[in-house]
Amino acid sequence: MNRFISQYKSSTKPKPSIPKTDFGLQNKVFLGLQGYRSGERGRLLMQTHISLLFRQFCKISLVLSTFAFCVNSHHCSSLFRNSQVFGTLCQEFQGELSPHRRLPMRHGSSPIIPRDGRKLKVIRVARISTVNQDEKSLDDQLVFIQQELSSFYQGEIEYTDITSQGSGEALDRIELFQLEEYIESGFYDLVVSEDLGRISRRTRAIDICESCIDHETRLIALNDHIDTIDDDWKDRAMMVTWHHERSNKDTSNRIKRSHRNRFANGSKQNEYGPFYIVPDGAKMVSEVQKNASATDIVEQGFSMLEQGATYQEVADMINDKNFPVGGQSKQKKWNGRLVKTRFLNPILKGVELRNKKKNVRKNGTGRYQQKPSDPDEVLTREVKHLAYIHPDRFDYVKLQMQKRNDVYSRSKSDPLNDPCRNRPKKRTPFPGQMVNCGVCGRKYVFGGHGRKEFLMCDGARQHKCWNGTTFDGRLAAIKVATSVLEIAEQLPEFDNLLLEQVRHEAEEQDSDRQNQIRSLRLKEIQLCQEIGSLIDFVSKGDSSEGIRQKLKEKEDEYREVKYQLTQLESAVGHQIEIPDATTLRNLAHNCLDGVLPFSWEFNQIARKMITNFIVQPVRLIDGGHIELLGRFQLNLAKLYPDDRVGECFRAPLMREMTLKFFTPPQREEFRKAVIFRRNQSEKEREVATALNITQTAVQRAAALQRMMDARGIDEPYQLITEPPEDYSKLRRHKHPRYRFEPLSSLT
């Protein structure tokens, strides 16, 4: 590639100015005869006029004689030297010689005269298609052009080379634009290429030929026998261009046909990834074997995806085990995209596909883009000896991952409604994407009031909620992590009554599973009947898009029911291992040790054990700023690998947590200490000195306590259900665009 870059840079050198002269030689060729204008001493005036008169009426060829007037005998010889050319033209008119057999340059039928009369300026065009081709081919093309041109023209020649590597169908190549600039400059006399396809394999080559004619620059394609000086050049160029483009298509179809036939006959494909072993010299797919060391990796990865893990989480797990990427991947470590490609490959369920994607050319640029193939173009074959996962389980996990990620996928049909438009892809730390507004029900998002660590209601941003209060995400994460560890430490030992309650709950769950199995079997039969009816309807000739979409939905629903049946049937009969309190305590510590609260890792752990996380605006009963109070449900048993344990311990271990995501004001922070010391008959000044606060703060704390006693409440904070008029900070409800629109779950 450095070669091409250096050549391109050299080709962009400033073009020399074209010398202007009143008596410069001009390239005026008419029917193979040339006229000359000499210098001051004398001029040879030669004019040859050949015409065919009344050919359509009397079919008689008439060739008029050539008149020559000679002043200088030295120039007369040029006229007689061209007598052979004149005879050749007569033979062509009489049909004795076909013009398609004539090589324009080799026969010298139309000599070229340099613009400046001294040096012929030539552009040599050479191209190779792919990086796999030998760069020496470019030199071979240039040498071939030079040899052909030297056999025709004996004078001094100045070459400008344009060499490139790229598809001939591509119309956005830099070298193609550079060639057009050179032609339009009017500085060059001749453009030569081995064939027209070296310039372009599209009709763009004809446009370049026409541009050469407009700027009096001759173009010759040697092997295609095309010379723009000929009257019939365009007919040949159109046929040659069609042939070059069609040859690409024919070659592509031939390769595709060969690969399809080999796939149907059981030949192995090029790459199978790290989950399989391809013996040396293996040619058939039956010789490919499963990698025994990958069995646990595949099983654990699929289990994580079933439990809601992301592709990147699975990639981190595989990287921790130092499992190689393998295959033809250029990546050194696993990432989310690679996990998606490997784990959603149907070969894991024993089905191998081919032609899932096809290349479609964008005619504007000539570049190819991949698009999904039509269903009838996709080839399948069973390879059960390569299966890791049961087909029902594989289909269910794939469907769930598609549903989960469709919400965040880039919209191709409507880019303006793309949910990820202008949004970076990153891992959200805790408590991002977990907290809901207690007023409108929408998510709390980062970036509250211009501070990236603070969260605010997304509805307030859209003027659909009046709750514009924010809270510090870092402070909230620290308080939640601390409360989780405290609950784990305070977890009492399970007594016999609690264990009996858990066993009873497990028996009820088994009974519920039996009922669910019966219900799902009835639904499975119903779906089979509906799918059969739709297939019969389509087979009778109705190919409407609505029927096909309905059939696809029913098939997806059937796969989901089959997977649920498989999971429930495998769970029935397995005894639940009930952990003790020490096991849950150690599990909580192991999960949280070394994990920062304000991180994506803690976010993933918190999603397992924290549910119904909301924040509500509160305010002290004596006024002041509005703050946010967090409420959520905590179940430590959800950290246990067996999901059934978390369901069994839901009732005995579920905790309703309430946390203050703010630092309380001074009068509330020291209220209890002030009241305690005042009850000990200490004076306000003494209390202020002991607590290192002002006497005014002591008085305000005592006043707050008196207000609480008067109302008969234990907590000084009250829930705010509407924006208070005496608070100047909340004014979103005053905006003209404000419309309170809570989510349907809260209305």
Side-chain angles (χ1 to χ4, degrees):
M1 293 303 296
N2 294 332
R3 169 195 177 97
F4 305 137
I5 295 173
S6 61
Q7 289 178 347
Y8 170 68
K9 289 182 178 179
S10 63
S11 65
T12 57
K13 61 184 179 181
K15 295 181 281 294
S17 59
I18 302 173
K20 297 183 179 179
T21 175
D22 294 336
F23 304 103
L25 294 177
Q26 302 296 326
N27 182 16
K28 297 183 179 294
V29 181
F30 182 74
L31 294 178
L33 300 180
Q34 59 182 347
Y36 291 90
R37 288 184 180 180
S38 61
E40 296 181 355
R41 291 185 178 182
R43 294 176 175 81
L44 171 64
L45 301 177
M46 181 188 67
Q47 183 178 14
T48 303
H49 187 190
I50 303 174
S51 62
L52 300 176
L53 301 177
F54 310 109
R55 185 169 183 174
Q56 294 181 352
F57 303 99
C58 59
K59 298 182 180 180
I60 300 176
S61 301
L62 179 60
V63 180
L64 299 179
S65 303
T66 303
F67 298 93
F69 297 91
C70 181
V71 176
N72 190 335
S73 61
H74 172 72
H75 296 288
C76 291
S77 59
S78 299
L79 173 64
F80 296 106
R81 279 199 300 268
N82 288 302
S83 60
Q84 183 180 1
V85 178
F86 183 78
T88 303
L89 291 174
C90 293
Q91 291 178 356
E92 289 187 5
F93 289 147
Q94 295 174 2
E96 296 179 6
L97 181 62
S98 172
H100 297 285
R101 295 173 55 193
R102 179 171 51 87
L103 295 179
M105 284 195 64
R106 289 179 178 175
H107 287 189
S109 61
S110 302
I112 299 175
I113 307 302
R115 294 176 187 268
D116 59 2
R118 295 185 300 272
K119 184 186 298 184
L120 185 66
K121 298 177 176 59
V122 179
I123 301 175
R124 295 186 296 183
V125 181
R127 181 184 62 83
I128 57 177
S129 298
T130 65
V131 294
N132 297 325
Q133 291 181 262
D134 193 351
E135 291 186 10
K136 294 180 180 179
S137 176
L138 295 172
D139 296 331
D140 297 339
Q141 296 177 42
L142 298 178
V143 171
F144 173 70
I145 294 172
Q146 183 176 353
Q147 291 175 351
E148 291 293 321
L149 190 57
S150 61
S151 66
F152 168 71
Y153 186 83
Q154 308 300 329
E156 185 179 0
I157 302 176
E158 178 183 336
Y159 291 108
T160 299
D161 298 336
I162 297 181
T163 59
S164 62
Q165 178 268 310
S167 173
E169 298 184 26
L171 303 181
D172 56 354
R173 290 183 287 118
I174 297 177
E175 296 79 12
L176 201 58
F177 297 142
Q178 188 67 25
L179 176 61
E180 291 179 332
E181 286 185 16
Y182 282 4
I183 294 172
E184 292 171 0
S185 69
F187 178 72
Y188 295 93
D189 302 303
L190 180 63
V191 177
V192 188
S193 66
E194 187 178 27
D195 56 64
L196 209 57
R198 298 304 94 195
I199 299 176
S200 176
R201 287 185 179 269
R202 305 277 299 280
T203 55
R204 183 72 171 275
I206 300 178
D207 297 336
I208 291 178
C209 293
E210 292 177 340
S211 178
C212 288
I213 294 177
D214 292 341
H215 297 88
E216 298 182 358
T217 301
R218 188 170 174 179
L219 186 146
I220 295 177
L222 298 174
N223 292 341
D224 291 334
H225 301 190
I226 293 176
D227 189 344
T228 54
I229 207 66
D230 295 337
D231 291 338
D232 61 348
W233 73 267
K234 199 165 190 176
D235 296 334
R236 298 185 187 180
M238 292 178 68
M239 294 299 296
V240 166
T241 302
W242 173 86
H243 171 72
H244 287 317
E245 189 169 1
R246 184 62 192 177
S247 63
N248 277 7
K249 187 68 175 178
D250 292 340
T251 303
S252 174
N253 291 337
R254 183 170 63 254
I255 295 174
K256 291 177 182 177
R257 182 175 63 251
S258 300
H259 283 295
R260 284 196 296 265
N261 182 60
R262 294 170 187 174
F263 182 83
N265 292 334
S267 297
K268 73 175 185 67
Q269 300 197 70
N270 293 333
E271 198 261 334
Y272 282 88
F275 300 154
Y276 300 96
I277 297 176
V278 181
D280 294 337
K283 296 183 178 180
M284 307 301 291
V285 69
S286 58
E287 302 176 52
V288 181
Q289 305 169 4
K290 291 197 296 184
N291 188 353
S293 61
T295 304
D296 294 338
I297 296 291
V298 175
E299 179 60 34
Q300 186 175 352
F302 254 85
S303 299
M304 293 176 63
L305 295 176
E306 284 179 303
Q307 296 171 6
T310 62
Y311 294 127
Q312 187 59 47
E313 289 177 326
V314 178
D316 293 340
M317 178 272 295
I318 300 176
N319 288 329
D320 291 340
K321 296 180 179 295
N322 295 323
F323 190 79
V325 174
Q328 299 177 356
S329 176
K330 298 180 181 179
Q331 302 292 332
K332 296 182 179 180
K333 289 188 175 182
W334 287 78
N335 54 30
R337 179 173 295 183
L338 193 58
V339 168
K340 179 182 178 181
T341 303
R342 302 293 193 197
F343 278 77
L344 296 189
N345 189 342
I347 196 174
L348 295 182
K349 68 173 182 178
V351 177
E352 192 173 9
L353 303 182
R354 184 174 180 82
N355 295 348
K356 285 184 61 179
K357 301 285 186 178
K358 63 180 179 181
N359 291 330
V360 179
R361 189 179 74 184
K362 292 294 183 181
N363 292 317
T365 61
R367 303 292 180 180
Y368 282 83
Q369 294 182 354
Q370 275 197 346
K371 289 187 176 181
S373 301
D374 297 332
D376 55 346
E377 296 177 341
V378 180
L379 302 180
T380 62
R381 67 184 180 190
E382 289 190 358
V383 284
K384 294 183 179 180
H385 67 289
L386 301 181
Y388 281 95
I389 306 298
H390 191 276
D392 293 338
R393 183 187 180 193
F394 178 89
D395 294 338
Y396 174 78
V397 172
K398 182 177 180 180
L399 182 62
Q400 293 303 312
M401 296 302 295
Q402 290 175 349
K403 288 182 178 180
R404 187 197 312 171
N405 295 326
D406 280 346
V407 183
Y408 310 102
S409 62
R410 304 284 181 176
S411 176
K412 297 181 180 179
S413 59
D414 190 4
L416 295 179
N417 293 328
D418 185 356
C420 297
R421 186 168 177 252
N422 298 329
R423 185 184 305 173
K425 299 177 181 178
K426 62 179 182 180
R427 299 181 176 185
T428 303
F430 181 83
Q433 300 180 356
M434 286 191 62
V435 184
N436 293 331
C437 176
V439 177
C440 69
R442 291 180 175 84
K443 292 286 185 184
Y444 258 67
V445 296
F446 282 102
H449 296 164
R451 295 175 291 184
K452 63 180 182 179
E453 292 89 3
F454 280 67
L455 290 89
M456 73 175 299
C457 175
D458 194 38
R461 284 183 168 181
Q462 305 172 19
H463 294 89
K464 296 180 180 180
C465 179
W466 56 263
N467 180 22
T469 310
T470 64
F471 70 92
D472 188 351
R474 294 183 181 273
L475 178 63
I478 293 173
K479 290 194 172 186
V480 170
T482 303
S483 65
V484 170
L485 290 176
E486 289 177 354
I487 294 297
E489 289 296 334
Q490 298 171 4
L491 196 64
E493 295 295 335
F494 301 153
D495 53 14
N496 294 331
L497 181 61
L498 177 61
L499 295 177
E500 185 63 28
Q501 182 181 354
V502 171
R503 292 191 184 93
H504 180 69
E505 183 69 23
E507 292 175 359
E508 288 186 353
Q509 287 188 12
D510 287 338
S511 178
D512 291 341
R513 289 191 184 92
Q514 294 291 351
N515 295 332
Q516 292 179 16
I517 290 175
R518 286 192 291 269
S519 177
L520 288 175
R521 289 199 180 279
L522 292 176
K523 190 173 183 179
E524 180 185 12
I525 296 173
Q526 181 183 355
L527 287 173
C528 287
Q529 293 175 351
E530 293 179 0
I531 292 174
S533 300
L534 290 173
I535 292 176
D536 293 340
F537 195 72
V538 173
S539 63
K540 292 179 181 178
D542 191 328
S543 58
S544 63
E545 187 63 27
I547 296 296
R548 294 184 179 275
Q549 182 65 25
K550 188 70 174 178
L551 179 60
K552 184 179 182 303
E553 293 175 358
K554 292 296 181 182
E555 289 176 343
D556 291 342
E557 188 176 358
Y558 177 78
R559 293 191 190 98
E560 186 170 353
V561 169
K562 286 285 292 181
Y563 174 77
Q564 293 177 359
L565 274 173
T566 304
Q567 294 297 102
L568 290 174
E569 290 173 350
S570 62
V572 171
H574 288 75
Q575 187 70 24
I576 298 179
E577 297 181 2
I578 301 176
D580 54 12
T582 305
T583 302
L584 293 180
R585 219 178 284 123
N586 295 335
L587 185 61
H589 280 286
N590 293 336
C591 291
L592 297 179
D593 281 347
V595 177
L596 297 177
F598 190 69
S599 65
W600 176 79
E601 290 77 10
F602 184 72
N603 196 334
Q604 302 306 300
I605 298 173
R607 285 179 180 275
K608 298 178 181 179
M609 55 184 177
I610 294 177
T611 55
N612 300 330
F613 199 160
I614 64 171
V615 289
Q616 297 174 314
V618 294
R619 191 183 190 187
L620 286 173
I621 58 177
D622 63 348
H625 289 296
I626 295 178
E627 306 290 353
L628 291 175
L629 195 69
R631 302 181 187 274
F632 57 89
Q633 294 177 341
L634 177 65
N635 186 1
L636 292 178
K638 283 289 187 179
L639 296 177
Y640 200 72
D642 193 345
D643 293 337
R644 296 177 297 172
V645 173
E647 295 298 327
C648 295
F649 277 95
R650 170 180 288 274
L653 292 185
M654 183 67 71
R655 298 288 187 271
E656 296 288 342
M657 305 295 296
T658 301
L659 297 177
K660 298 174 182 177
F661 293 157
F662 57 90
T663 301
Q666 194 178 46
R667 61 185 183 277
E668 166 58 17
E669 183 179 1
F670 293 96
R671 177 180 56 84
K672 293 183 179 180
V674 168
I675 299 304
F676 176 78
R677 289 182 176 274
R678 290 290 289 165
N679 292 336
Q680 301 296 327
S681 302
E682 292 186 14
K683 296 181 180 181
E684 291 181 353
R685 188 182 303 277
E686 296 173 351
V687 173
T689 303
L691 298 178
N692 196 23
I693 58 177
T694 63
Q695 187 174 350
T696 304
V698 173
Q699 294 172 356
R700 290 178 178 176
L704 178 60
Q705 183 63 43
R706 288 194 296 270
M707 292 180 65
M708 293 173 56
D709 295 339
R711 298 188 182 187
I713 57 177
D714 297 330
E715 284 292 332
Y717 287 97
Q718 61 180 354
L719 188 65
I720 303 298
T721 57
E722 59 183 13
E725 294 297 333
D726 62 339
Y727 190 62
S728 60
K729 294 287 186 179
L730 292 182
R731 284 294 178 265
R732 289 187 179 271
H733 59 289
K734 300 291 186 180
H735 199 281
R737 293 203 306 268
Y738 174 77
R739 297 291 186 275
F740 183 59
E741 298 178 2
L743 297 183
S744 58
S745 59
L746 295 179
T747 55

